[in-house]
Amino acid sequence: MNQEIANNLSTFKNHIEDYDRGYRDLVRDFEAVTSHMKALNGMWTGEAHDALMQRFERDRNTTQDMIDYMKQILDDLRFANTEYTKCENTVAGIVDSIRV
């Protein structure tokens, strides 16, 4: 059974741009939450404060790991787009060079 894999580069590029916008929004919002939590950190002391800050630090680390992973996916998508584009250009060049 012969199967064909095709990629519409224009659609793929649009999807990468959408992913990038979502990624940048996530990073911006994460930085805002982190900034707010730093401000909140100095507003009171006690057990509740310590528990909240410990929990936030764990959550911050987990979220940062996820953001780093999402960045790697974005980098991989961009690399794939570059490679697909090179391949299509190479094939188009070969086809164009064939004299019929």
Side-chain angles (χ1 to χ4, degrees):
M1 213 182 307
N2 189 10
Q3 293 184 352
E4 183 177 321
I5 298 175
N7 186 355
N8 181 318
L9 291 179
S10 177
T11 301
F12 191 46
K13 183 179 178 190
N14 289 338
H15 289 166
I16 292 170
E17 289 170 356
D18 289 343
Y19 187 96
D20 181 52
R21 273 190 298 280
Y23 170 78
R24 284 184 282 124
D25 289 347
L26 177 63
V27 169
R28 183 195 67 234
D29 293 345
F30 179 61
E31 288 171 352
V33 167
T34 301
S35 177
H36 292 309
M37 288 303 291
K38 284 180 182 176
L40 183 63
N41 184 34
M43 293 184 181
W44 91 96
T45 60
E47 289 181 31
H49 167 270
D50 295 345
L52 176 64
M53 289 300 131
Q54 287 174 358
R55 181 58 195 228
F56 175 73
E57 188 60 25
R58 285 193 309 267
D59 292 347
R60 190 193 66 74
N61 290 335
T62 300
T63 303
Q64 186 62 59
D65 289 345
M66 289 188 292
I67 288 172
D68 293 345
Y69 181 68
M70 291 178 71
K71 174 70 165 107
Q72 183 60 54
I73 292 171
L74 180 59
D75 292 344
D76 292 346
L77 289 170
R78 287 178 174 151
F79 176 77
N81 186 56
T82 299
E83 293 301 307
Y84 276 122
T85 301
K86 284 181 192 176
C87 181
E88 283 207 4
N89 290 338
T90 300
V91 170
I94 292 169
V95 170
D96 288 344
S97 71
I98 297 174
R99 296 183 188 262
V100 183

